[in-house]
Amino acid sequence: MNEPIITNDTVVFGLLTLCLGFIFYTSSIKTGFWSKFYNIVPAVLMCYVLPSILASSGLISDETSSLYFMASRYLLPAALILMTLSIDLKAIANLGSKALIMFLTGSFGIIIGGPLAILIISIFSPETVGGNDFDAIWRGLATIAGSWIGGGANQAAMLEIYQYNPDKYGGMVLVDIVVANVWMAIILLGVGKTKKIDRWLKADTSAIEELRIKVSKFTEKITRVPTLKDYMMMLFFAFTGVGISHFFGDFISSFLTNTYESVSDNKSFLSFLGSSFFWMVVLATLVGIVLSFTKAKNYEGAGASKLGSVFIYILVATIGMKMDLGKVFENPGLIAIGFVWITIHAVLLIVVAKLIKAPYFFLAVGSQANVGGAASAPVVAAEFHPSLTSVGVLLAVFGYVVGTGGAILCTILMEIASKV
């Protein structure tokens, strides 16, 4: 690994906030070049792209920075709490079954996409999908299946189960990061064209619009000029909740790991229950839901979801740091498998969305709950409306549950495909 020019996280964070400030300033300009530019490219996508350009140029690097860890462990749970303060559980339930259908479609797309990608690439480059024993490519791809259906805990489980050569594992991590982040960029690009996509899908967006309107009316009713006390109380709710979710998340994961062999065994279907990150996300969301039944929900009028959005955008920028555009060409064969794989996932989602007339929101969040997991599904959901953040969280949590089982099925199929 080449050392980046800037390794001081304080300076790197300054550069990321510089990017965010530049994007939000230029996107607020309603005339001229910038107005036309942001009509094509969503601001949130630029919040992701500019840090990736800095990383690709060698100026900064995610590998020498702790900012993503900070954003995903501190700011993400804080954002989840602030964005669920005013949650309307009944309205979310009224969204219906299409969200779950699209999530499961996304999972199925990953399960069949892996073996199909191997079959397709083997036609043009059989050596790319070969390998023997623990060097077999299908074993390495198993870890990507775990990541793309569940998350980091499921990925680790698949590495443990199939024992892929550790010396070559880095190549699989690269495919995971590059392909998943490019796909997220495409998803975000579509957010700016949601209305056009929904018209093409002939989607029924009434339930989503009803939720948006209901939340907007509630916000207008309680909106006030925030005081210093309001900001301090919002930080109190957010970061006390973060502390609680980490404390009990660590305790629960340690307790389950030490008490139950099925959780401590990385080969077990239930190994995701030993992930402290999983419990942190679940508990932070629960804290927000509990607060929504108290007077704390009125802090939405002081800008709770806006403050949460600030944290989300910082998280987006740190995710962008993970994308080194130059690495796309380091292992073109494996990268090709990844892109064919994600394309099958995408095509299946589009076909099913068209058939059941599901809104683009369900397609985007259903996909990211699989491929991106708990770190990025709420980001995508929040781009549609802060009130929808919890939908992304709930689906991502469900992804942890089905991740290992789905990845094992995918791997069995990939092993068969590699021997055809």
Side-chain angles (χ1 to χ4, degrees):
M1 182 191 74
N2 293 324
E3 188 83 359
I5 296 172
I6 299 174
T7 57
N8 186 327
D9 265 348
T10 310
V11 180
V12 174
F13 188 71
L15 287 173
L16 295 183
T17 55
L18 172 64
C19 291
L20 294 175
F22 171 78
I23 292 162
F24 273 82
Y25 175 75
T26 52
S27 64
S28 68
I29 299 173
K30 301 303 180 186
T31 58
F33 167 78
W34 289 116
S35 176
K36 294 176 182 177
F37 178 81
Y38 286 106
N39 279 334
I40 300 171
V41 182
V44 66
L45 178 58
M46 291 304 297
C47 295
Y48 170 83
V49 169
L50 286 189
S52 74
I53 292 173
L54 295 180
S56 302
S57 67
L59 187 64
I60 61 177
S61 173
D62 172 68
E63 295 182 36
T64 59
S65 172
S66 300
L67 289 179
Y68 172 73
F69 181 87
M70 177 277 295
S72 62
R73 268 62 176 183
Y74 295 10
L75 302 187
L76 172 62
L80 295 178
I81 292 167
L82 291 171
M83 288 176 149
T84 51
L85 274 180
S86 58
I87 191 174
D88 188 326
L89 291 177
K90 184 179 178 182
I92 287 178
N94 289 338
L95 291 176
S97 60
K98 289 182 180 179
L100 184 58
I101 292 172
M102 293 309 297
F103 168 79
L104 293 174
T105 299
S107 300
F108 183 69
I110 298 299
I111 290 170
I112 66 166
L116 288 177
I118 287 177
L119 290 173
I120 292 169
I121 296 300
S122 66
I123 297 171
F124 306 99
S125 178
E127 66 279 2
T128 300
V129 297
N132 299 309
D133 299 324
F134 296 109
D135 288 336
I137 294 299
W138 63 266
R139 292 182 185 272
L141 295 176
T143 64
I144 298 177
S147 175
W148 285 0
I149 301 176
N154 305 93
Q155 185 175 31
M158 299 307 291
L159 181 61
E160 185 70 23
I161 292 169
Y162 290 101
Q163 298 290 307
Y164 184 60
N165 186 342
D167 294 335
K168 296 185 176 183
Y169 178 55
M172 295 300 167
V173 174
L174 175 65
V175 175
D176 179 12
I177 292 172
V178 170
V179 177
N181 286 338
V182 168
W183 175 236
M184 184 178 178
I186 294 170
I187 288 285
L188 292 174
L189 190 61
V191 172
K193 306 178 187 302
T194 300
K195 290 184 179 179
K196 288 183 179 179
I197 295 172
D198 283 340
R199 280 198 296 269
W200 181 77
L201 292 170
K202 296 181 181 178
D204 177 11
T205 60
S206 57
I208 296 174
E209 288 303 317
E210 185 181 327
L211 177 57
R212 281 176 174 168
I213 292 168
K214 192 172 183 180
V215 171
S216 296
K217 284 184 177 178
F218 173 73
T219 304
E220 287 174 12
K221 181 181 176 182
I222 60 173
T223 294
R224 62 182 185 271
V225 177
T227 63
L228 176 60
K229 178 196 170 186
D230 288 330
Y231 285 118
M232 295 306 295
M233 288 303 295
M234 285 187 285
L235 290 177
F236 155 69
F237 289 128
F239 289 102
T240 302
V242 170
I244 290 170
S245 63
H246 273 275
F247 179 81
F248 287 103
D250 290 342
F251 173 78
I252 293 171
S253 64
S254 296
F255 173 77
L256 293 176
T257 301
N258 294 330
T259 306
Y260 299 101
E261 190 176 336
S262 57
V263 175
S264 60
D265 183 3
N266 285 335
K267 298 180 181 180
S268 169
F269 173 76
L270 296 174
S271 61
F272 73 92
L273 292 173
S275 167
S276 58
F277 183 78
F278 166 78
W279 288 111
M280 178 203 74
V281 170
V282 170
L283 291 170
T285 306
L286 284 175
V287 168
I289 290 172
V290 169
L291 289 173
S292 74
F293 289 99
T294 70
K295 290 183 179 180
K297 70 183 302 178
N298 291 327
Y299 279 95
E300 174 60 24
S305 64
K306 290 185 178 67
L307 184 57
S309 295
V310 171
F311 298 155
I312 287 289
Y313 276 102
I314 294 172
L315 174 63
V316 169
T318 62
I319 292 174
M321 285 176 61
K322 290 176 168 289
M323 181 61 180
D324 185 342
L325 300 172
K327 289 184 177 180
V328 173
F329 306 103
E330 282 188 6
N331 197 332
L334 282 178
I335 295 292
I337 293 175
F339 279 118
V340 171
W341 193 349
I342 208 73
T343 300
I344 294 167
H345 163 81
V347 169
L348 191 60
L349 281 168
I350 293 168
V351 169
V352 173
K354 185 77 172 172
L355 288 174
I356 68 173
K357 298 180 179 179
Y360 178 65
F361 167 72
F362 292 148
L363 187 156
V365 177
S367 174
Q368 278 304 300
N370 280 284
V371 180
S376 62
V379 172
V380 173
E383 275 309 296
F384 290 88
H385 195 278
S387 63
L388 299 170
T389 304
S390 51
V391 179
V393 178
L394 293 173
L395 289 178
V397 167
F398 192 58
Y400 277 104
V401 177
V402 301
T404 302
I408 289 173
L409 175 57
C410 177
T411 306
I412 292 169
L413 296 174
M414 287 193 293
E415 182 181 7
I416 295 170
S418 67
K419 294 176 180 178
V420 171

